[in-house]
Amino acid sequence: MKNLILLLSFTLLTSCNQQSEKNVINSKDPVLSSEVYKNYVAAYNDYASCKMERPQLTNDFMEKKMTSEEFTAALEKNAKSCNIKKEIFNKYYQLLEAEFEKTIAAKHKIME
């Protein structure tokens, strides 16, 4: 029982230290702590999740969960949605590029 409590407290301590180290790193870096970068990451994640819907649509069609008309309509809707999300993602990239120099963007591996 003592070992379990000791193990849990050690795990809690190490996880707290890791989080505080990440916060210190992010607070020192002006790019990572900027609101534009946070919006850029959120837009990228939204775009990536949109693209991940396509294989599920294909699987549903192959498993006969939807007709070919429904599949075509769902693909068109997904493509339009993903294109809009990609435009938003690219605009945040352009904002980052305008706010910070290209060398900083390359350092943080920010991609368009």
Side-chain angles (χ1 to χ4, degrees), residues 98-112:
E99 191 171 331
F100 303 100
E101 298 174 2
K102 281 189 174 187
T103 56
I104 293 174
K107 173 186 167 191
H108 291 286
K109 298 177 184 168
I110 297 171
M111 59 189 163
E112 182 174 12

Side-chain angles (χ1 to χ4, degrees), residues 2 6 14 21 24 40 54 60 62 77 81 99 101:
K2 287 182 180 180
L6 186 62
T14 56
E21 287 173 5
V24 169
Y40 164 81
R54 293 177 188 174
D60 289 348
M62 298 301 282
K77 181 180 175 184
S81 175
E99 191 171 331
E101 298 174 2

Side-chain angles (χ1 to χ4, degrees), residues 55-67 71:
Q56 184 59 44
L57 291 173
T58 304
N59 285 341
D60 289 348
F61 177 68
M62 298 301 282
E63 294 173 357
K64 307 288 186 201
K65 293 181 181 178
M66 62 173 61
T67 65
F71 177 65

Side-chain angles (χ1 to χ4, degrees), residues 4 8 13 19 22 25 30 41 43 65 69 85 98-99 104 106 108 110:
L4 181 61
L8 288 175
L13 254 174
Q19 185 64 28
K22 288 179 184 177
I25 291 170
V41 171
K65 293 181 181 178
E69 292 84 19
K85 291 177 182 187
E99 191 171 331
I104 293 174
H108 291 286
I110 297 171

Side-chain angles (χ1 to χ4, degrees), residues 36-53 78 81-82 84-90 92-93 96 109-112:
V36 176
Y37 181 78
K38 292 174 186 172
N39 291 336
Y40 164 81
V41 171
Y44 173 78
N45 290 336
D46 195 29
Y47 171 65
S49 69
C50 181
K51 289 188 67 145
M52 293 307 296
E53 291 175 10
N78 180 268
S81 175
C82 286
I84 292 169
K85 291 177 182 187
K86 184 177 181 181
E87 288 177 24
I88 293 169
F89 165 63
N90 285 334
Y92 278 116
Y93 173 79
L96 272 174
K109 298 177 184 168
I110 297 171
M111 59 189 163
E112 182 174 12

Side-chain angles (χ1 to χ4, degrees), residues 17-39:
N17 285 340
Q18 289 173 351
Q19 185 64 28
S20 64
E21 287 173 5
K22 288 179 184 177
N23 288 339
V24 169
I25 291 170
N26 287 346
S27 65
K28 289 182 181 179
D29 193 342
V31 175
L32 297 179
S33 62
S34 74
E35 193 65 33
V36 176
Y37 181 78
K38 292 174 186 172
N39 291 336

